[in-house]
Amino acid sequence: MKLLVTGGAGFIGSAVIRHILQNTQDEVINLDKLTYAGNLESLGQVSNSPRYTFEQVDICNRTEVDRVLAKHRPDAIMHLAAESHVDRSIDGPAEFIETNIVGTYTLLEAARQYWQALDNAERKANFRFHHISTDEVYGDLPHPAETANADEHLFTEQTAYAPSSPYSASKASSDHLVRAWQRTYGLPVLVTNCSNNYGPYHFPEKLVPLMILNALEGKPLPVYGNGDQIRDWLYVEDHARALYKVVTEGKPGETYNIGGHNEKQNIEVVHTICDILQELRPQERSYRDLITNVKDRPGHDRRYAIDASKIQQQLGWAPEETFETGIRKTVQWYLDNLGWCRRVQDGSYQRERLGEGAGA
Ligand code: NAD
């Protein structure tokens, strides 16, 4: 197969490309604009492969997207390119509307034209447009601090959309567009909604790498509010395996929720990171002493948790890492790759607080 992966220089996209090139015989075309979040160094292990090609293209640029499709003639598109950080969406929603909504629309139209023009019936029938989305489109779930039976509530593929942030609203819009292109034009689409990922090559603005890097530099560990927000954590390589399964074995028109069965409060995640660092890089003062509670994110969702039984039953996917094994690997990876962390921050971002909102 020839797979066109958008956003392949980002956190999850690079894991998907590494997975495909290291475990299959497929070819990959990585289409990425290289925003602040995209870094080709994340593909260093595989970029010499003769089965890998890079195209620096903005998904909003229809002419360029058409050129790439005509040149490479992929069998499937895995669409991961997006603006992905909730805090940045609070400070500047415009780019989220542009890339996540207009960009997805542009890609869908280009894909539709390309797919409709395929003259080989088998290639046409087997073509797939796989849209990679988030569980944040569902809004938030009851929290155990407020509801006795909170753990009975999980996001299923039938849960109604109720996004809270400009980021999740833009992703929800793109999900609707993708499904409409299937209903209206018959484009063979797949949608996946996944919970919070963590792992290697994660840009240092996100919770896990931010905490590791700040702790190592003896800087405060900013925890939003009281830190009791719950997320369902999935190791990024488990997500990459799930996505490959969906694009190769999923049924067109279907949605699959992907999650790690690892509900943790943010504060628990931070404590775990501090404790692993204490073991791997012991110091006299506990890393936990660096924890500082800061003003909560506006509109902060309280709890996310995924019911991943559909993908488990229908496609036989289950996560291989527990939170304990995955977070240990992740901390070790950051300790071994501080050079990557320095280079991707590139002077333009110093792990400052983002997204306090207009009322801050
Ligand atoms: P990321 O921010 O690390 O990477 C995004 C990539 O997209 C970057 O390489 C960037 O250069 C590229 N990009 C941005 N705008 C572009 C444009 N206009 N044209 C072409 N390329 C562009 O994001 P991520 O965490 O890897 O997330 C990938 C996808 O998975 C996103 O769609 C996100 O919504 C979804 N998702 C993320 C998580 C998570 O926990 N990180 C969870 C579920 C779903």
Side-chain angles (χ1 to χ4, degrees):
M1 266 175 94
K2 225 184 212 192
L3 293 152
L4 177 74
V5 177
T6 73
F11 168 49
I12 302 173
S14 68
V16 167
I17 294 180
R18 290 191 304 273
H19 173 76
I20 295 172
L21 292 173
Q22 288 170 344
N23 297 286
T24 77
Q25 290 308 309
D26 295 342
E27 288 176 47
V28 174
I29 303 108
N30 174 13
L31 183 157
D32 198 299
K33 178 183 173 181
L34 297 183
T35 67
Y36 79 95
N39 199 291
L40 291 178
E41 205 184 322
S42 307
L43 291 156
Q45 291 168 33
V46 292
S47 53
N48 283 337
S49 167
R51 293 180 285 119
Y52 171 77
T53 315
F54 174 61
E55 294 275 4
Q56 185 168 2
V57 166
D58 183 338
I59 54 166
C60 300
N61 183 335
R62 176 70 194 269
T63 312
E64 275 293 279
V65 174
D66 284 345
R67 178 188 65 74
V68 171
L69 288 173
K71 178 174 167 196
H72 297 285
R73 306 192 55 75
D75 300 302
I77 297 175
M78 298 177 82
H79 174 37
L80 294 101
E83 287 294 333
S84 70
H85 189 34
V86 175
D87 287 343
R88 286 184 194 262
S89 82
I90 295 168
D91 291 338
E95 277 186 79
F96 288 72
I97 306 303
E98 191 59 23
T99 285
N100 299 1
I101 305 178
V102 179
T104 299
Y105 157 74
T106 307
L107 191 66
L108 277 169
E109 275 296 79
R112 176 167 78 93
Q113 191 184 351
Y114 165 76
W115 169 72
Q116 282 175 335
L118 285 174
D119 45 18
N120 179 314
E122 198 184 332
R123 285 199 75 199
K124 196 168 183 173
N126 291 336
F127 180 80
R128 299 287 181 268
F129 184 101
H130 178 182
H131 177 62
I132 285 82
S133 192
T134 164
D135 62 353
E136 300 194 26
V137 297
Y138 298 125
D140 62 359
L141 288 165
H143 191 282
E146 288 139 16
T147 314
N149 58 347
D151 56 0
E152 289 169 19
H153 298 265
L154 298 172
F155 295 136
T156 73
E157 288 80 2
Q158 279 73 46
T159 302
Y161 277 28
S164 309
S165 69
Y167 163 66
S168 53
S170 69
K171 289 297 292 186
S173 308
S174 65
D175 293 11
H176 290 318
L177 290 174
V178 171
R179 293 193 180 103
W181 259 241
Q182 204 246 341
R183 281 291 295 267
T184 305
Y185 304 110
L187 187 70
V189 309
L190 297 148
V191 177
T192 49
N193 295 90
C194 185
S195 60
N196 273 49
N197 283 216
Y198 68 99
Y201 301 102
H202 207 178
F203 191 78
E205 65 192 356
K206 303 282 170 65
L207 180 75
V208 169
L210 180 75
M211 295 298 148
I212 299 171
L213 297 175
N214 276 14
L216 286 172
E217 291 174 19
K219 290 185 175 161
L221 306 181
V223 169
Y224 291 178
N226 65 4
D228 75 348
Q229 306 85 2
I230 294 173
R231 303 290 180 259
D232 179 355
W233 294 91
L234 180 68
Y235 192 63
V236 68
E237 291 173 13
D238 276 327
H239 189 194
R241 279 193 309 108
L243 294 179
Y244 187 72
K245 238 183 191 306
V246 170
V247 77
T248 52
E249 298 173 34
K251 195 168 152 215
E254 294 288 320
T255 295
Y256 300 90
N257 278 358
I258 307 173
H261 312 293
N262 279 312
E263 280 187 55
K264 303 276 175 210
Q265 293 188 5
N266 285 348
I267 190 70
E268 287 179 78
V269 172
V270 178
H271 283 158
T272 307
I273 290 170
C274 289
D275 297 348
I276 296 174
L277 280 174
Q278 195 64 42
E279 210 185 300
L280 300 177
R281 284 279 190 284
Q283 62 168 29
E284 216 161 285
R285 191 176 160 210
S286 166
Y287 287 100
R288 287 192 185 205
D289 292 349
L290 296 168
I291 294 171
T292 312
N293 293 90
V294 299
K295 191 173 168 213
D296 206 353
R297 169 192 280 166
H300 207 172
D301 287 330
R302 299 274 286 140
R303 174 171 168 251
Y304 305 136
I306 285 271
D307 174 353
S309 52
K310 178 176 172 182
I311 186 169
Q312 191 151 5
Q313 284 158 17
Q314 296 189 6
L315 302 182
W317 172 87
E320 286 177 1
E321 300 289 345
T322 62
F323 184 70
E324 289 65 33
T325 59
I327 196 73
R328 186 167 284 276
K329 280 189 184 179
T330 304
V331 173
Q332 187 64 59
W333 186 88
Y334 278 92
L335 288 173
D336 296 341
N337 290 277
L338 292 171
W340 178 89
C341 300
R342 260 195 310 277
R343 288 189 289 279
V344 298
Q345 288 174 80
D346 204 17
S348 58
Y349 170 66
Q350 303 297 323
R351 304 202 298 277
E352 63 273 18
R353 172 78 197 257
L354 300 168
E356 282 186 290

